[in-house]
Amino acid sequence: QVQLVESGGGLVQPGGSLRLSCAASGRIFSINNMGWYRQAPGKQREMVAVRTSGGSTNYADSVKGRFTISRDNAKNTVSLQMDSLKFEDTAVYYCKALLRRAAYEQPHDYWGQGTQVTVSS
């Protein structure tokens, strides 16, 4: 089994900061991409930031310059530093990993349970 466990969500005022962390554990052979997605009420889930095992990053336009994704390949963890938070950043944030459980397997997506981020004054 593979588990992704997120932490670090909460309530923050506009302009504030939060840091999300996600740790993948279990039967893992290799992880290709790790990243963060979010889903606001009534909206589709969207990509926030993704980091490949080689270090390439991709950010949603709405968070560029405010959010920073980092990853520790040795520990199978990924973090999201969120600065200058806005009301519209309010959402449930999900960690996702594209990984193989064994060398002979194709990579599959695994999701965390989600953590709530609320930006409110």
Side-chain angles (χ1 to χ4, degrees), residues 2-100:
V2 174
Q3 281 190 318
L4 273 67
V5 178
E6 301 114 334
S7 61
L11 174 64
V12 64
Q13 292 185 340
S17 297
L18 278 177
R19 185 176 180 85
L20 305 182
S21 296
C22 172
S25 63
R27 184 186 173 198
I28 298 172
F29 174 75
S30 66
I31 301 179
N32 294 7
N33 302 339
M34 291 189 83
W36 293 92
Y37 293 71
R38 67 186 181 187
Q39 188 166 19
K43 294 188 177 181
Q44 288 189 330
R45 192 172 297 187
E46 63 175 358
M47 186 274 293
V48 176
V50 174
R51 190 174 179 99
T52 69
S53 57
S56 299
T57 56
N58 189 27
Y59 292 94
D61 288 342
S62 60
V63 307
K64 284 181 181 176
R66 300 188 298 120
F67 290 11
T68 303
I69 188 170
S70 59
R71 180 174 165 179
D72 187 329
N73 292 337
K75 296 182 179 179
N76 292 336
T77 59
V78 64
S79 297
L80 186 69
Q81 177 65 39
M82 304 186 293
D83 299 318
S84 302
L85 282 160
K86 303 177 180 180
F87 291 118
E88 52 264 40
D89 295 318
T90 296
V92 178
Y93 283 70
Y94 297 89
C95 173
K96 189 182 86 166
L98 177 64
L99 62 86
R100 297 172 185 258

